[in-house]
Amino acid sequence: AEKVMVIKKKAHFFSWDKTETRRPAVLQLQVWDNDFFSLDDYLGSVEFNLCNMPPPAKTSRKCCQEQFGDPTVGRKPKKEYVSLFESKRLKGWWPIRDIG
């Protein structure tokens, strides 16, 4: 089975049929702080391919960048990747990276 998101929407308000686009199942999260008197600051982000994502750490102390591995060096992650479509539910901690 395909592991993609299917987005159906009308091209225009007066269109009869909906157009269907298929996108990879990728979730991108950004973390910002919420300041009252100054501008909000960007803290970091993480991007998950929902078909092939690193397993979560069970506690915040075990949460580290090694969960993702390093493809530039050839280092693999500590555990095998999991699919959110197969497991249906994941609970735990993932590290947020500052890319800015």
Side-chain angles (χ1 to χ4, degrees), residues 22-84:
R22 296 175 185 271
R23 304 255 180 200
V26 176
L27 174 68
Q28 182 180 15
L29 300 173
Q30 292 182 347
V31 179
W32 295 75
D33 71 348
N34 187 11
D35 294 331
F36 287 109
F37 300 109
S38 64
L39 296 175
D40 294 341
D41 297 321
Y42 174 77
L43 299 177
S45 69
V46 66
E47 188 172 296
F48 293 119
N49 179 353
L50 299 181
C51 299
N52 194 19
M53 60 188 294
K58 297 200 184 293
T59 64
S60 62
R61 293 187 187 267
K62 294 181 181 179
C63 182
C64 60
Q65 291 293 334
E66 283 78 31
Q67 285 176 253
F68 292 109
D70 191 359
T72 59
V73 182
R75 187 179 340 147
K76 296 192 177 195
K78 289 183 177 180
K79 296 180 182 176
E80 293 296 319
Y81 287 120
V82 294
S83 172
L84 189 62

